[in-house]
Amino acid sequence: MIQANDPSLKTWLEVPEGSDFPIQNLPFGVFRTQSNPAPRLCTAIGDYVIDLSVLNFLSVFDELDFPPEVFLSSSINNLMALGRPKALQLRNRLADLFHEGNTEIRDSAWHYLHPVEKVELLLPVQIGDYTDFYSSIEHATNVGSMFRDPANALLPNWRHLPVGYHGRASSIVVSGTPIRRPKGQTRPKDEEPPVFGPSRQLDFELETAFVIGKETALGQSVSTSEAEDHIFGMLLFNDWSARDIQKWEYVPLGPFLSKNFGSTVSPWVVTLDALEPFRVKGPEQEPSPLPYLQFQGKKNYDIRLEVAIRTAAGAEKTVCRSNFQYMYWNMCQQLAHHTVNGCNLRVGDLCASGTISGPTPDSYGSMLELAWKGTRPIDMPDGSIRTFIQDGDTVIVKGFAEKDGLRIGFGEAKGEVLPAF
Ligand code: CA
């Protein structure tokens, strides 16, 4: 039996050097083409998008007994709802079909194989509820130092619970969708009345997100040891933020219009199964959290993350290199905390990590921190400077895990900023 995670597996498809999508990844997405505009499920190998609905039509999944509508769908929600073991069976069967020793479907490749540049990748998940955490101690410390007292940067609750807030799912868009600069109320000068206009401090937040694949009943809680049964996979996430709007509005209930005008996700859901080889231990937690937040084993992942800014004229610079493993609170703790009061989960719910900053100034996951509230402007290759994001800039988030020659990547989550209406 072929296992998708077997690092020695090779495919008969061409995979460029350094590709995010070797045969061991097999993420899930949704796409359409000009000649067939019906959304359907896909996976990726190298620079190819593979139509799972056609493969199913070719009867190569018959032994797995999938309901056919699962593949002819505008989201992967129905696939996720069948459970992680079922999705793993599908990935193993795909690894079998595409490994170099198998000629079963090579002759019919023109039916199901598309170069990625010829397709439109759609939002892969029908997102239900969206929660954003605040779980990087470096990010929380930086923001606390800037806006409060460096000596007491973390608020008293921070080391005791994964702080989070409920966000807005309707404005989460897939990579490539432009983001309109938001307008809103700000107060540029303390003690003066607020003003209305386009945000002048538009920022990105480097985050990842995980998607729920198994529901719970209202009243039920998920323990840290059960949490991974409910987490189907991960995506890249840019939580666009208007700092000037945020600064004025966030007291006392947290972010509102400064966040809900748009968030960008990558088009591929990378399964937790594919990320298994990249588990690492997270930071020490001091003090030890309450029992419901304690956990066994390695719950963080070594995922390298970066953010690039590309100007309207095409000058591009990587401004941040961070890593998911810096996260103080892991996804299992976030989910245990989220449900400890009985809040129920639904398939398609999305939880974002919060900005992932690392320990060094080049690993900070937002312009707010990289340019330190505008005091340390970033030089761009074309001679211009950035303290926040300008109209016409494209922000590109990338991420991949790599170990012993195996690279499992996420592709990218990018968005161009358009001027305010
Ligand atoms: Ca955020």
Side-chain angles (χ1 to χ4, degrees):
M1 175 76 183
I2 300 274
Q3 302 289 327
N5 270 15
D6 179 353
S8 68
L9 214 56
K10 288 194 168 53
T11 172
W12 51 267
L13 285 167
E14 190 197 337
V15 179
E17 183 78 23
S19 171
D20 280 350
F21 305 108
I23 190 172
Q24 288 83 2
N25 191 343
L26 299 171
F28 293 113
V30 176
F31 83 113
R32 64 184 171 194
T33 53
Q34 224 158 25
S35 58
N36 182 358
R40 56 242 195 237
L41 265 57
C42 57
T43 187
I45 295 179
D47 292 335
Y48 292 108
V49 167
I50 296 164
D51 187 332
L52 298 180
S53 72
V54 171
L55 288 185
N56 188 57
F57 186 73
L58 294 175
S59 298
V60 296
F61 303 143
D62 280 4
E63 282 180 21
L64 301 179
D65 208 19
F66 277 100
E69 64 272 16
V70 162
F71 301 107
L72 282 169
S73 177
S74 57
S75 77
I76 69 166
N77 289 39
N78 290 335
L79 173 67
M80 294 195 294
L82 295 173
R84 274 184 63 180
K86 198 74 188 165
L88 182 57
Q89 284 179 12
L90 178 59
R91 288 179 59 254
N92 286 340
R93 176 60 176 140
L94 288 166
D96 178 19
L97 289 167
F98 289 97
H99 88 88
E100 62 185 353
N102 192 337
T103 57
E104 202 178 333
I105 55 168
R106 279 199 209 189
D107 291 342
S108 48
W110 62 276
H111 282 298
Y112 56 80
L113 207 61
H114 302 268
V116 66
E117 68 273 11
K118 299 275 189 194
V119 310
E120 183 187 0
L121 292 167
L122 305 172
L123 190 65
V125 177
Q126 187 185 341
I127 300 167
D129 283 309
Y130 153 54
T131 302
D132 193 22
F133 285 95
Y134 188 60
S135 288
S136 150
I137 196 164
E138 287 84 3
H139 173 67
T141 303
N142 287 339
V143 173
S145 303
M146 268 183 262
F147 290 106
R148 289 185 300 272
D149 170 14
N152 297 293
L154 292 179
L155 288 170
N157 60 4
W158 202 91
R159 286 176 181 270
H160 294 278
L161 56 86
V163 170
Y165 69 97
H166 287 304
R168 179 95 191 150
S170 66
S171 54
I172 300 177
V173 295
V174 74
S175 178
T177 309
I179 296 292
R180 181 72 59 183
R181 179 178 297 273
K183 290 186 289 196
Q185 222 187 92
T186 63
R187 191 170 69 160
K189 293 201 177 94
D190 291 351
E191 314 309 328
E192 285 186 17
V195 299
F196 178 82
S199 168
R200 302 205 296 189
Q201 297 184 342
L202 182 58
D203 201 353
F204 62 80
E205 288 192 335
L206 168 60
E207 306 194 16
T208 61
F210 65 83
V211 58
I212 297 298
K214 183 180 174 187
E215 65 176 15
T216 61
L218 187 59
Q220 185 189 343
S221 300
V222 174
S223 69
T224 55
S225 61
E226 296 162 334
E228 286 171 7
D229 297 340
H230 296 265
I231 301 173
F232 186 84
M234 294 176 67
L235 313 93
L236 302 172
F237 194 86
N238 178 357
D239 179 24
W240 297 92
S241 300
R243 298 300 177 198
D244 42 0
I245 297 173
Q246 183 179 359
K247 185 167 177 263
W248 174 229
E249 75 172 359
Y250 88 105
V251 182
L253 284 183
F256 186 32
L257 305 182
S258 56
K259 301 278 189 176
N260 69 6
F261 60 92
S263 303
T264 303
V265 291
S266 51
W268 298 108
V269 176
V270 176
T271 62
L272 273 202
D273 294 307
L275 293 168
E276 193 58 35
F278 307 100
R279 280 182 187 272
V280 289
K281 208 167 156 291
E284 282 306 318
Q285 296 185 328
E286 178 58 41
S288 185
L290 286 167
Y292 81 93
L293 288 170
Q294 291 172 12
F295 62 95
Q296 302 291 319
K298 297 174 178 171
K299 297 291 188 192
N300 276 39
Y301 295 85
D302 178 3
I303 301 170
R304 300 179 215 178
L305 300 167
E306 58 181 57
V307 183
I309 299 173
R310 188 166 65 217
T311 67
E316 184 170 328
K317 180 173 182 172
T318 299
V319 294
C320 159
R321 288 188 172 83
S322 188
N323 195 306
F324 182 73
Q325 68 176 323
Y326 299 138
M327 292 277 291
Y328 186 89
W329 296 105
N330 61 55
M331 296 185 286
C332 295
Q333 291 178 304
Q334 290 172 336
L335 207 54
H337 185 64
H338 202 315
T339 59
V340 75
N341 65 346
C343 171
N344 51 327
L345 303 171
R346 289 184 294 198
V347 172
D349 287 352
L350 199 80
C351 292
S353 58
T355 309
I356 303 168
S357 294
T360 56
D362 61 346
S363 65
Y364 295 166
S366 65
M367 288 301 287
L368 178 70
E369 298 162 88
L370 288 164
W372 207 258
K373 225 166 78 173
T375 61
R376 300 173 197 163
I378 289 178
D379 295 318
M380 293 297 290
D382 62 359
S384 63
I385 57 164
R386 292 290 180 283
T387 51
F388 290 98
I389 303 302
Q390 295 185 0
D391 292 344
D393 286 351
T394 299
V395 175
I396 307 156
V397 177
K398 295 181 186 175
F400 66 91
E402 190 164 20
K403 187 181 168 188
D404 303 330
L406 175 64
R407 173 175 168 136
I408 300 291
F410 288 80
E412 58 185 25
K414 69 176 175 189
E416 181 189 349
V417 173
L418 303 180
F421 276 127

